[in-house]
């Protein structure tokens, strides 16, 4: 008798020139397994593979395994729950999710929503909710701080449906799906489309609506938990990160860009469940291929533990009778496009077109009715099989685990949507389809109740509700649930770490240099220092951070296993298991995901840390802006430092590195406070205010601060300037005028402010008086202006500039749209001209670049003369 694995391998191999000898080798290997066990068999296989490499045979083991479940039926643990009750509960949630979406679209027709994704993932969620997903019990020692669960975003209706049964949402809430503005007026809670912590801050914990962001974020959250444990800040052992993602989502580069990091750092606290329903928005994921095989190769090659969950319990008997291996071979040869056709058709079609392909398959199906064939479940719809896979994943050590769960998109939607190309957009069902769904899941609804889409909720003392509550109580309570209990962190006095910046007395330095010096001071603070999390993608030396290598070390889960080339240097590279710097390599997406994990620690772990991510500013909002937006949605608290910013400060680098837009894009993120300080003293005030706002006041904001690599004389911060620095602008200096002479007002920020000062001095020599205003934040001035207009108060910009005279000329190292942000909030009757660095960057000296873009002192002075004329 040949086992299915052998038959699969033989089917894909070249013709066998000596079948007798092959049979002897096969029998010998079976005897080895039988007599000495799997461990010895694995050792021998590894040894043979090593020998094959030594002989340079050009052979390596296949990365794909047969199209069967990784966990054999004989190895499944006993299902610990009440299977019948869990199936009934799952059916109720399917119906309520469907009813919620269809009701919303019957009423308005434009709100959208998804039924089919949750229909495919419902059982994957339910096994997790009933047996694995642990909620936070509290923050006291010994209490479980909760697992992290990333939900497939299009399945949000199913999560709302469960929260309804658990009593955390009302029927009125379900009636206001995707009606976040209307709901409060009608005494209900509006339910956002996808997981959005900003919209539902006590419910959703992680935003996953933008494809690919959930996967990469989950990896770095799992790694940050190891970081907290290894540094002795918080014991995260015993906690898991679970992520349920789509197979089509794996096409996103962010989904797969950090797979090797997860394996390299042995993140066995991470479990992904990839919902392989084989269909994207418009059609099959791999119509002419097999996404499960592709993902198995990808994850295996990346070092993950792979568990294939393909077929339900009803298939076990078929596989047991498949003595020739034809069933396994045929399943392994059926491409996704054809598999979706089988999913969309009924039992009769599948008897004729799947089982009818081979005499052996026809014989296997002989004893089954068409209805039984139609009810054959894929593995992702079988609670027993799912539990076995989850239990194996939770117990696995030394590797992250991915479960490839085979499901049907639109499962149970029958002719209305199961496996159909249009399934993803399905948001309306006719009466016949509703009744068909009712019948498919044996729901206690009359025909009229089904047509009316009545929500179902059993009596509170019913067996189903008691079971539901008991399972969640055992796992810590309701989930998802976002909590923000967190002890505030004390902030050291500004003078302790930044006195040099407040009164530099004309010393030349760059603001990047000033920041790194302040960061070093914060790291030395006894209270705050251990909670500071410095993050770089790469180029820490470029930013002058090499001195921190020795001071606090670079985090490595294995320490340092080598002697670095520069070991004799005082700035030598040092990795350590308790290292503090997170050096993420050349991956801005990874570093931003790492920053988000740290910046949301106050909520995810109940432990506040202070995260600083410093990077080339061009590679922030422009390159990974979607990840920054997701961090904003997740209510991150921390600092993003856009170093070497501006289009003319990074001399010689050229188009791709010169940033003229990040301040503009940052202004569009509602809870991002964006600053472009010119002087170290301004920077110090901004950092101090940000730490107080985020760590003590615990407000859900984050700061984006641009830094320059240009050395120039640093001005002392004027007395009383703090308020203006934080509100966005203050009067830096006045140059003239003499009585009766013309006067102007000059506004500048960042690297261009010194040009503004030089222009003012030149104008004063020419008899033109100039007031110089340092603009630390164009976007904060604009926000203040909008808020002031709404309240009827005078904007800060208008108040400040009312004490100056003449035309106003503004310049920055960014596109002219940045200073244009404040035009509506200036004093009436004053002309306003803006200068900026619009266009592509160039490689040249700073002086040449500023002349080219028209933002140097000469061009500012020329703009003044034109304005006065």
């Amino acid at each position: 008798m040949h086992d299915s694995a052998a038959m699969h391998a033989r089917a894909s191999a070249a013709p066998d020139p000596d079948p007798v000898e092959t049979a002897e080798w096969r029998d010998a290997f079976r005897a080895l397994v039988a007599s000495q066990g799997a461990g010895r068999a694995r050792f021998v296989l590894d040894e043979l593979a090593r020998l094959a490499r030594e002989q340079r045979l050009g052979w390596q083991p296949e990365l794909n395994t047969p199209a069967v479940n990784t966990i054999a039926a004989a190895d499944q643990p006993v299902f610990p729950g009440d299977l019948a009750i869990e199936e009934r509960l799952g059916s109720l949630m399917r119906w309520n999710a469907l009813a919620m979406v269809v009701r919303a679209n019957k009423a308005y027709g434009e709100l959208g929503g998804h039924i089919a994704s949750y229909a495919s993932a419902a059982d994957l969620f339910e096994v997790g909710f009933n047996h694995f997903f642990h909620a936070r019990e509290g923050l006291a020692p010994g209490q479980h701080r909760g697992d992290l669960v990333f939900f497939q975003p299009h399945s949000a209706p199913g999560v709302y449906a469960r929260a309804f049964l658990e009593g955390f949402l009302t029927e009125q809430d379900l009636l206001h799906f995707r009606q976040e503005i209307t709901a409060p007026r009608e005494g209900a809670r509006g339910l956002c489309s996808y997981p959005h912590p900003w919209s539902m801050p006590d419910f959703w914990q992680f935003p996953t609506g933008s494809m690919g962001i959930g996967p990469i974020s989950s990896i770095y959250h799992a790694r940050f938990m190891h970081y907290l444990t290894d540094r002795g800040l918080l014991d995260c052992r015993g906690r898991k990160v679970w992520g349920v993602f789509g197979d089509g989502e794996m096409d996103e580069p962010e989904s797969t860009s950090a797979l090797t990091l997860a394996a390299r750092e042995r993140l066995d606290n991470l479990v992904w469940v990839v919902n392989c329903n084989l269909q994207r928005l418009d059609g099959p994921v791999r119509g002419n291929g097999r996404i499960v095989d592709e993902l198995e190769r990808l994850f295996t090659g990346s070092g993950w533990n792979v568990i294939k969950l393909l077929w339900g319990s009803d298939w076990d008997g078929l596989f047991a009778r498949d003595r020739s291996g034809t069933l396994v071979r045929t399943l392994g040869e059926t491409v996704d496009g054809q598999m979706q056709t089988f999913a969309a058709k009924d039992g009769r079609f599948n008897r004729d077109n799947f089982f009818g392909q081979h005499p052996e398959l026809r014989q296997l199906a002989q004893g089954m009715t068409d209805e039984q064939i139609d009810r054959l479940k894929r593995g992702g719809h079988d609670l027993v099989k799912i539990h076995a896979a989850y239990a194996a994943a939770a117990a696995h050590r030394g590797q992250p685990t991915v479960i490839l769960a085979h499901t049907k998109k639109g499962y149970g939607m029958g002719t209305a949507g199961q496996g159909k190309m249009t399934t993803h957009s399905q948001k309306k069902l006719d009466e016949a389809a509703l009744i068909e769904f009712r019948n498919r899941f044996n729901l206690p609804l009359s025909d009229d109740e089904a047509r009316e889409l009545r929500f179902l909720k059993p009596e509170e003392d019913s067996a189903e509700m008691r079971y539901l509550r008991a399972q969640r109580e055992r796992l810590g309570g309701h989930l998802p649930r976002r909590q923000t209990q967190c002890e505030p962190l004390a902030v050291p006095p500004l003078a302790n770490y930044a006195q040099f910046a407040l009164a530099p007395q004309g010393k030349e330095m760059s603001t990047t240099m000033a920041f790194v010096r302040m960061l070093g001071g914060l790291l030395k603070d006894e209270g705050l220092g251990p909670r500071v999390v410095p993050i770089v993608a790469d180029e820490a030396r470029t930013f002058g951070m090499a001195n921190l290598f020795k001071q606090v070390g670079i985090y490595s889960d294995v320490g340092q296993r080598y002697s670095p080339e520069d070991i004799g240097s005082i700035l030598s590279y040092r990795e350590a298991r308790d290292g503090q710097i997170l050096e993420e390599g050349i991956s801005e997406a990874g570093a931003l995901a790492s920053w988000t994990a740290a910046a949301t620690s106050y909520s995810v772990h109940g432990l506040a840390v202070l995260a600083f991510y410093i990077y080339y500013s061009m590679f922030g909002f422009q390159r990974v802006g979607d990840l920054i937006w997701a961090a904003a949605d997740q209510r991150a608290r921390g600092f993003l430092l856009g170093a070497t910013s501006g289009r003319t400060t990074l001399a010689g680098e050229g188009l791709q590195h010169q940033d003229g837009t990040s301040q503009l894009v940052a202004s569009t993120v509602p809870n991002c406070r964006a600053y472009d300080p010119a002087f170290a003293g301004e920077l110090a005030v901004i950092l101090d205010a940000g730490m107080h706002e985020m760590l003590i006041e615990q407000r859900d904001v984050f700061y984006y601060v641009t830094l320059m690599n240009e050395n120039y004389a640093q001005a002392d911060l004027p007395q009383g300037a703090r308020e203006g620095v934080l509100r966005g602008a203050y009067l830096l200096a006045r140059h003239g005028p003499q009585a009766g002479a013309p006067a102007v007002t000059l506004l500048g920020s960042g690297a261009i402010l010194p040009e503004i000062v030089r222009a003012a001095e030149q104008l004063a020599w020419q008899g033109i008086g100039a007031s110089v205003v340092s603009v630390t934040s164009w976007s904060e001035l604009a926000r203040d202006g909008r808020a002031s207009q709404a309240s009827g108060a005078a904007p800060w910009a208008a108040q400040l500039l009312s004490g100056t005279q003449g035309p106003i000329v503004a310049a920055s190292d960014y596109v002219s749209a940045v200073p244009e942000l404040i035009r509506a909030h200036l004093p009436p009757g004053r002309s306003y001209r803006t200068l900026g660095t619009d266009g592509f960057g160039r490689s040249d000296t700073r002086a040449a670049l500023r002349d080219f873009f028209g933002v140097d002192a000469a061009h500012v002075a020329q703009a003044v003369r034109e304005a006065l004329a």
Side-chain angles (χ1 to χ4, degrees):
M1 181 179 70
H2 302 292
D3 61 26
S4 58
M7 291 302 299
H8 175 83
R10 192 169 67 176
S12 61
D16 188 349
D18 192 342
V20 175
E21 183 183 23
T22 303
E24 290 174 354
W25 279 95
R26 191 178 298 122
D27 291 342
F29 185 73
R30 285 200 187 96
L32 174 69
V33 175
S35 63
Q36 300 189 45
R40 175 63 179 163
R42 284 193 296 269
F43 176 85
V44 170
L45 288 174
D46 289 339
E47 182 67 11
L48 290 173
R50 186 184 65 79
L51 288 171
R53 287 191 294 271
E54 284 183 0
Q55 298 299 317
R56 303 189 181 189
L57 301 182
W59 171 90
Q60 63 182 20
E62 290 186 19
L63 294 180
N64 277 127
T65 58
V68 295
N69 294 337
T70 300
I71 301 171
D75 297 330
Q76 290 173 192
V78 175
F79 186 74
D82 188 315
L83 190 59
I85 288 181
E86 290 193 26
E87 287 182 340
R88 290 200 297 273
L89 284 169
S91 297
L92 294 176
M93 288 165 203
R94 289 177 191 277
W95 172 260
N96 287 336
L98 176 148
M100 176 173 56
V101 175
V102 176
R103 272 176 175 265
N105 285 285
K106 272 192 170 183
Y108 297 98
E110 61 185 274
L111 293 177
H114 300 85
I115 302 170
S117 291
Y118 176 67
S120 68
D123 298 302
L124 300 173
F125 285 166
E126 282 307 296
V127 172
F129 277 123
N130 284 322
H131 301 282
F132 293 95
F133 299 164
H134 211 300
R136 183 193 294 178
E137 296 169 354
L139 301 180
Q143 290 183 313
H144 200 296
R145 293 202 174 211
D147 294 331
L148 285 56
V149 184
F150 290 76
F151 292 98
Q152 191 176 11
H154 296 97
S155 297
V159 182
Y160 294 141
R162 171 169 262 272
F164 167 61
L165 287 193
E166 290 186 27
F168 288 90
L169 295 177
T170 67
E171 184 169 323
Q172 276 298 106
D173 297 333
L174 297 195
L175 289 171
H176 288 84
F177 175 59
R178 293 191 170 189
Q179 299 167 59
E180 297 176 68
I181 298 172
T182 307
R185 301 188 205 133
E186 300 178 1
R189 177 172 193 169
L191 305 182
C192 52
S193 53
Y194 306 123
H196 292 301
W198 190 264
S199 301
M200 297 177 68
D202 62 340
F203 192 90
W204 293 115
Q205 194 168 39
F206 305 108
T208 55
S210 189
M211 298 288 96
I213 289 179
I216 192 172
S217 183
S218 72
I219 290 174
Y220 281 91
H221 271 282
R223 202 280 299 273
F224 188 68
M225 291 164 71
H226 277 212
Y227 173 88
L228 291 175
T229 301
D230 289 343
R231 293 198 55 235
L233 296 175
L234 184 69
D235 188 352
C236 294
R237 290 173 296 183
R239 299 170 64 197
K240 291 285 186 182
V241 179
W242 296 85
V244 183
F245 309 117
D247 47 1
E249 187 173 4
M250 293 299 108
D251 287 345
E252 291 285 2
E254 294 88 352
S255 295
T256 57
S257 64
L259 295 185
T260 54
L261 176 139
R264 184 172 66 249
E265 304 212 5
R266 301 184 303 282
L267 300 182
D268 52 13
N269 59 338
L270 177 65
V271 179
W272 280 13
V273 182
V274 179
N275 177 16
C276 298
N277 58 35
L278 311 188
Q279 190 160 322
R280 293 181 301 211
L281 278 64
D282 295 328
V285 176
R286 296 288 184 271
N288 296 305
R290 292 173 48 79
I291 187 63
V292 170
D293 287 351
E294 183 177 322
L295 293 179
E296 183 182 20
R297 291 192 298 271
L298 172 67
F299 282 96
T300 299
S302 298
W304 287 51
N305 174 44
V306 178
I307 297 175
K308 288 161 70 170
L309 171 61
L310 305 183
W311 312 110
S313 299
D314 291 342
W315 288 85
D316 288 341
L318 294 174
F319 288 125
R321 300 198 306 273
D322 178 30
R323 301 302 178 90
S324 65
T326 304
L327 178 59
V328 175
R329 185 174 64 252
T330 305
L331 289 170
E333 294 169 351
T334 304
V335 297
D336 288 356
Q338 188 61 45
M339 193 66 77
Q340 284 302 82
T341 300
F342 293 144
K345 302 298 183 180
D346 60 15
R348 187 67 201 179
F349 180 92
N350 283 284
R351 179 189 297 279
D352 294 340
N353 294 275
F354 177 75
F355 289 102
Q357 295 179 77
H358 302 285
E360 295 93 334
L361 297 185
R362 282 195 295 270
Q363 187 175 2
L364 283 177
Q366 271 185 354
M368 303 173 68
T369 65
D370 290 347
E371 183 180 7
Q372 286 174 319
I373 292 175
D374 193 45
R375 293 293 183 101
L376 284 171
K377 289 181 178 178
R378 295 181 180 177
H381 302 305
D382 187 311
L383 302 183
V384 174
K385 298 289 186 183
I386 297 169
H387 180 273
Y390 282 18
H396 189 74
R397 295 292 176 265
Q399 291 172 288
T401 293
V402 62
I403 298 169
L404 303 178
H406 196 195
T407 66
K408 292 182 182 180
K409 194 157 190 177
Y411 178 66
M413 292 171 65
T415 56
Q418 181 170 286
K420 292 184 178 295
M421 297 294 187
T422 56
T423 294
H424 185 81
S425 301
Q426 193 84 30
K427 57 190 178 186
K428 297 180 180 180
L429 295 176
D430 60 25
E431 292 183 358
L434 292 171
I435 291 172
E436 183 181 359
F437 191 94
R438 186 271 318 268
N439 294 340
R440 171 67 181 80
F441 292 105
N442 300 315
L443 296 163
L445 292 165
S446 67
D447 287 358
D448 287 342
E449 288 171 332
R451 296 187 192 100
E452 293 166 5
L453 295 162
R454 183 171 74 84
F455 292 121
L456 285 173
K457 187 173 185 179
E459 296 295 328
E460 287 299 316
D461 64 348
S462 66
E464 289 83 0
M465 295 298 285
R466 290 199 306 272
Y467 186 88
L468 182 79
R469 288 191 297 269
Q471 294 300 99
R472 286 313 311 162
E473 286 170 7
R474 183 176 60 83
L475 291 168
H478 174 64
L479 196 78
R481 179 176 56 184
R482 182 178 178 275
Q483 301 178 68
T484 57
Q485 302 98 315
C486 184
E487 288 293 322
L489 263 178
V491 175
L494 186 56
N496 283 18
Y497 61 92
Q499 187 58 43
F500 76 94
L502 299 172
Q505 300 177 337
K507 181 179 179 181
E508 287 199 356
M509 71 180 82
S510 69
T511 51
T512 299
M513 183 190 305
F515 164 73
V516 173
R517 186 171 170 184
M518 286 183 241
L519 177 61
L522 290 172
L523 285 164
K524 293 174 183 175
D525 183 76
E526 186 176 336
L528 179 61
R531 302 280 192 94
V532 173
V533 182
I535 301 169
V536 289
D538 199 17
E539 310 248 28
R541 295 183 189 275
T542 300
F543 304 138
M545 297 174 66
N547 63 308
L548 299 182
F549 295 165
K550 276 287 184 71
Q551 181 180 338
V552 296
I554 299 164
Y555 172 71
S556 166
D557 71 312
V558 296
Q560 189 158 344
R561 296 173 170 174
Y562 61 94
S563 297
E565 168 273 330
D566 58 354
I567 194 168
S569 165
I570 61 171
L571 303 180
S572 66
Y573 203 77
R574 184 174 75 88
E575 299 185 65
R577 191 167 183 183
D578 62 351
Q580 202 156 345
I581 301 169
L582 288 169
E583 211 281 358
E584 304 297 5
I586 304 177
S587 172
E588 286 84 6
L592 204 287
S594 182
W595 176 82
T596 303
T600 56
S601 176
Y602 75 94
S603 168
V604 176
H605 306 295
L607 180 82
V609 301
L610 181 59
F612 292 96
Y613 169 33
I614 184 169
Y615 56 93
Y616 270 104
S617 65
M618 189 67 158
F619 305 136
F621 282 89
Q622 175 164 309
R623 185 160 188 167
V624 291
D626 202 12
L627 282 157
I628 295 175
W629 190 261
D633 189 353
Q634 199 173 328
R635 299 174 174 256
R637 301 173 185 170
F639 288 94
L640 296 175
L641 291 309
T644 61
S645 70
R647 189 148 279 165
T648 69
T649 187
L650 189 58
E653 287 286 358
L655 186 152
Q656 192 119 16
H657 283 66
Q658 293 171 345
D659 167 29
T661 57
S662 69
Q663 284 287 340
L664 183 64
V665 182
S667 72
T668 67
V669 182
N671 54 338
C672 173
R673 302 207 191 288
Y675 288 90
D676 185 33
F679 298 125
E682 297 171 353
L683 172 62
V685 167
I686 292 164
L687 292 181
D688 178 67
M691 287 189 288
H692 277 84
E693 188 172 18
M694 294 183 286
L695 299 179
I696 296 177
E697 299 170 24
Q698 298 197 28
R699 299 186 64 189
D700 294 342
V701 298
F702 67 98
Y703 279 59
Y704 174 59
V705 185
T706 41
L707 306 173
M708 278 69 70
N709 69 333
E710 180 180 1
N711 291 322
Y712 50 75
Q714 296 289 317
D716 290 4
L717 194 67
Q719 284 290 110
R722 179 183 172 85
E723 180 185 14
V725 168
L726 298 178
R727 296 187 71 173
Y730 67 96
L731 182 65
L732 177 66
R734 293 184 190 272
H735 297 265
Q738 299 174 356
V744 296
T745 301
L746 303 180
L747 277 60
S749 71
I752 301 304
L753 184 59
E755 299 289 339
I756 293 286
V757 172
R758 282 191 282 273
E761 293 169 348
Q762 293 174 16
L763 292 168
W765 296 336
Q766 298 167 14
I768 300 172
S771 297
V772 176
V773 174
S774 175
V775 176
T776 53
S777 177
W778 304 96
S779 56
E780 286 299 300
L781 286 177
R783 285 176 182 164
D784 171 84
R786 291 191 294 272
S788 298
Q789 286 176 341
S791 66
W796 176 254
Q799 292 181 51
L800 179 65
L801 296 180
S802 64
T804 66
Q805 303 173 28
I808 304 169
V809 176
S812 79
D813 213 6
Y814 298 89
V815 293
S816 54
V818 172
E820 284 290 338
L821 291 169
I822 69 169
R823 181 180 289 275
H825 313 301
L826 301 176
R830 305 272 292 274
S831 68
Y832 185 56
R833 180 167 180 181
T834 58
L835 306 178
T837 55
D838 297 80
F840 286 116
R842 299 290 193 278
S843 296
D844 216 307
T845 64
R846 293 190 181 101
L849 289 169
R850 287 167 187 167
D851 174 64
F852 175 80
F853 285 108
V855 292
D856 60 359
H859 282 85
V860 173
Q862 178 62 27
V864 167
R865 288 190 288 270
E866 292 172 0
L868 289 171

